[in-house]
Amino acid sequence: MKILVGIKRVVDYNVRVRVLPDGSGVDTEGVKMSVNPFDEIALEEALRLREAGKASEVIVVSAGGDECQQQLRTGLAMGADRAIQIKTDGPLQPLSAARALLKVTEREQPGLVILGKQAIDDDNNQTGQMLAALWNRPQATFASEVVLDGEKATVTREVDAGLETIEVDLPAVVTVDLRLNEPRFVKLPDIMKAKRKPLDVLPLEELGVAVENDLAINTYSPPPQRQKGIMVETTEQLVQELKNRGLL
Amino acid sequence: MSKILIVAEHDGQQLNLSTAKCVSCAQKIGGDVDIAVLGQNVDGVAAQAAAIGGISRVITVSADHLEHPLAANWAPEITTLAADYSHVLAPSTTFGKDLMPRVAALAGVNQFSDVMEVLDERTFTRPIYAGNAIIKVSAAAGSLVAMTVRTASWQAAAGEGQASIEARDASHADSGHTRYVGLKSEGGERPDLQSAPMVVSGGRALGSEENFSIIYQLADKLGAGVGASRAAVDAGYVPNDMQVGQTGKIIAPDLYWAFGISGAIQHITGIKDAGTIVAVNKDAEAPIFEVADIGLVGDLFTVIPELEQLLD
Ligand SMILES: Cc1cc2nc3c(=O)[nH]c(=O)nc-3n(C[C@H](O)[C@H](O)[C@H](O)COP(=O)(O)OP(=O)(O)OC[C@H]3O[C@@H](n4cnc5c(N)ncnc54)[C@H](O)[C@@H]3O)c2cc1C
Ligand SMILES: Nc1ncnc2c1ncn2[C@@H]1O[C@H](COP(=O)(O)O)[C@@H](O)[C@H]1O
């Protein structure tokens, strides 16, 4: 069984993102770019399934410009067998990303597609659910545990009320939450080895996917700032202050 | 005029408060507002939905395979219902986040995630980059507007409504490929984290599951809900449903207490809309003090017992 893992190149989670003064976007000039942290977890899970003998091949796929090859190489260094770049210049909204991933899914026929639950740039949290809809297959979102058993997977999901368990027939789409696993670190020799692993480039147009970004982003603005507050010296002062404000 | 359908979130017995928050958002969009209640034997929940002010109709679809909100079964039903509407809304809870993109994809549109404000009936604001930027986004004319509503940005709609209730048959069969197994819920009798007016949270500094009990004690004394940072959840001090932040719950209590939480951006994202933030941290440089309304530099293991005494 093959496992397909979606990887998005995003601004590193440690970067404090700033809106450009003219409101046309955020400042990504010279900023550190990384694999979306959820996607690292998705890939780690795929690798563990392969190492446990439950999968034969792990393929990483990213839709984006040539710069996303850097993140695909990171995926290969982590241990993926091969990589596919769906080449496209502009940004893809989730429906287009899902359509592009569907084409690759149809070509590769994986038993499992594992994606992050959300990309931490646009925080959309949509692509996996959309891919599952278009593919007409099960979705198991926000996974904190995945158990494969023959033709089905039992997935524990992090939901607001606690931990929900569902069972899905394969093939299926799983999106991962943070506590599923802790991704391995990439070692230097693996980076060298990754350079020789195959990375195919598929232009989006050749896949027959038209980019349809039906939501227009008009302006970017910084979030409203909270007023800086006061410091108190003692617990008594803290309680007094809260009482003065009618909060206790 | 807009025709708006809200997908009710419920557990079979109780309508979730997030549904009334979606109603406020719908009222801001303006137009006719209906609520869809899917499930099995949903008469009780439908009656609760019909009692929210300003609702025209409650539509129920009841079937065995709709008992649990499995997106694979619910999304086709919602998409069929949505054909009569200009907007379809669900709360930005794990329920809505799971379901709504599947609905949007079946309808062939992108979704607006975490809508904070309505600027006009097709233009909204929403946060990106963990709330470090807010974007103004518009939908193309004529297409269905599908969205999840950021519940912390909206008050629950009040009022005494008397909407009519209309039962419909399911239009789609069981997908057959997705089965509900069970839910493990550790939430006890404490106030619900997402709607509690006061929340007490603890971070990594608590050090252990046993130590975390001082947070529970204080919360119980205050009648508050209990939250935690991701570090505290990851370390196993508390269950996952208590995580506050970008990838946990986004909350807006009147008063939020952060004990031994450093104030990482991903945590702050979850409490930005809190009325007042109190932070207790032994590091005067901790970033939490940049957003706290009242800060106290100190050891939480000293401060909490002192607080308890003062509150007696
Ligand atoms: C993609 C992604 C998503 C994330 N989502 C979330 C999220 O949803 N929610 C979330 O919380 N985090 C999230 N994080 C993690 C976040 O970046 C931080 O790592 C986390 O919030 C830190 O938790 P903490 O403040 O409890 O721990 P720490 O950062 O370790 O802080 C502990 C604090 O306790 C103080 N302290 C220690 N001892 C005492 C004492 N005795 N008394 C008083 N103070 C003391 C220390 O000074 C320190 O400030 C996410 C990270 C990533 C990458
Ligand atoms: N351009 C892309 N290329 C590859 N995978 C993607 C892309 N966009 C989104 N994904 C996957 O979909 C997940 C959810 O993204 P989103 O819906 O944008 O929050 C990500 O964590 C990725 O696994």
Side-chain angles (χ1 to χ4, degrees), chain A residues 141 160-161 167 169 179 235, chain B residues 98 179 185 243 249 306:
Chain A
T141 52
D160 291 337
E167 190 181 86
D169 293 338
R179 273 172 288 275
T235 310
Chain B
D98 180 53
R179 293 166 292 277
S185 200
Q243 181 173 318
K249 288 177 177 149
E306 285 175 2

Side-chain angles (χ1 to χ4, degrees), chain B residues 2-129:
Chain B
S2 299
K3 285 204 70 190
I4 305 167
L5 183 68
I6 295 169
V7 187
E9 175 172 3
H10 64 88
D11 60 6
Q13 311 287 326
Q14 210 59 44
L15 187 69
N16 191 294
L17 192 70
S18 62
T19 306
K21 295 189 173 183
C22 289
V23 173
S24 294
C25 178
Q27 284 167 345
K28 191 74 197 292
I29 296 167
D32 242 13
V33 184
D34 293 354
I35 297 182
V37 181
L38 272 59
Q40 186 207 40
N41 297 330
V42 289
D43 294 354
V45 176
Q48 295 163 35
I52 301 175
I55 302 300
S56 305
R57 259 188 326 177
V58 172
I59 298 169
T60 64
V61 185
S62 194
D64 286 348
H65 69 277
L66 298 176
E67 180 177 1
H68 302 288
L70 295 169
N73 285 338
W74 279 43
E77 290 299 338
I78 300 296
T79 311
T80 298
L81 293 176
D84 297 333
Y85 294 85
S86 57
H87 296 64
V88 54
L89 278 55
S92 181
T93 53
T94 52
F95 160 79
K97 287 176 179 173
D98 180 53
L99 173 65
M100 212 47 170
R102 194 159 179 134
V103 171
L106 292 176
V109 295
N110 281 292
Q111 170 196 283
F112 293 86
S113 300
D114 310 311
V115 167
M116 301 170 73
E117 291 169 290
V118 174
L119 299 178
D120 64 49
E121 57 190 25
R122 309 187 74 77
T123 309
F124 311 95
T125 62
R126 59 167 300 254
I128 58 171
Y129 287 102

Side-chain angles (χ1 to χ4, degrees), chain A residues 13 37-38 120 178, chain B residues 202-205 228-232 243-248 259-264 266-267 280-283 286 298-301:
Chain A
Y13 81 95
F38 290 97
I120 61 161
L178 290 172
Chain B
R204 192 198 308 272
S229 70
R230 175 186 168 195
Q243 181 173 318
V244 172
Q246 181 190 18
T247 48
F259 289 100
I261 293 178
S262 59
Q266 294 89 358
H267 188 82
V280 177
N281 195 304
K282 69 178 183 190
D283 175 8
D299 187 326
L300 69 94
F301 294 106

Side-chain angles (χ1 to χ4, degrees), chain A residues 6-8 36 39 61-63 94 97 101 115-119 124-127:
Chain A
I7 281 187
K8 190 176 185 194
N36 182 40
D39 303 351
V61 54
S62 188
L101 291 172
L115 303 182
K117 83 163 177 184
Q118 83 196 61
N124 271 315
N125 195 333
Q126 301 181 33
T127 307

Side-chain angles (χ1 to χ4, degrees), chain A residues 17-77:
Chain A
V17 170
R18 280 177 213 290
V19 174
L20 292 169
D22 67 357
S24 63
V26 297
D27 191 359
T28 50
E29 202 48 39
V31 151
K32 182 176 178 211
M33 303 297 287
S34 297
V35 175
N36 182 40
F38 290 97
D39 303 351
E40 281 188 354
I41 296 170
L43 176 54
E44 177 66 33
E45 195 65 13
L47 296 174
R48 290 185 190 186
L49 288 167
R50 190 192 63 197
E51 285 156 7
K54 307 223 171 205
S56 50
E57 190 183 27
V58 174
I59 307 159
V60 284
V61 54
S62 188
D66 287 343
E67 58 285 353
C68 80
Q69 290 188 6
Q70 209 184 329
Q71 279 62 41
L72 287 170
R73 290 283 172 209
T74 304
L76 292 170

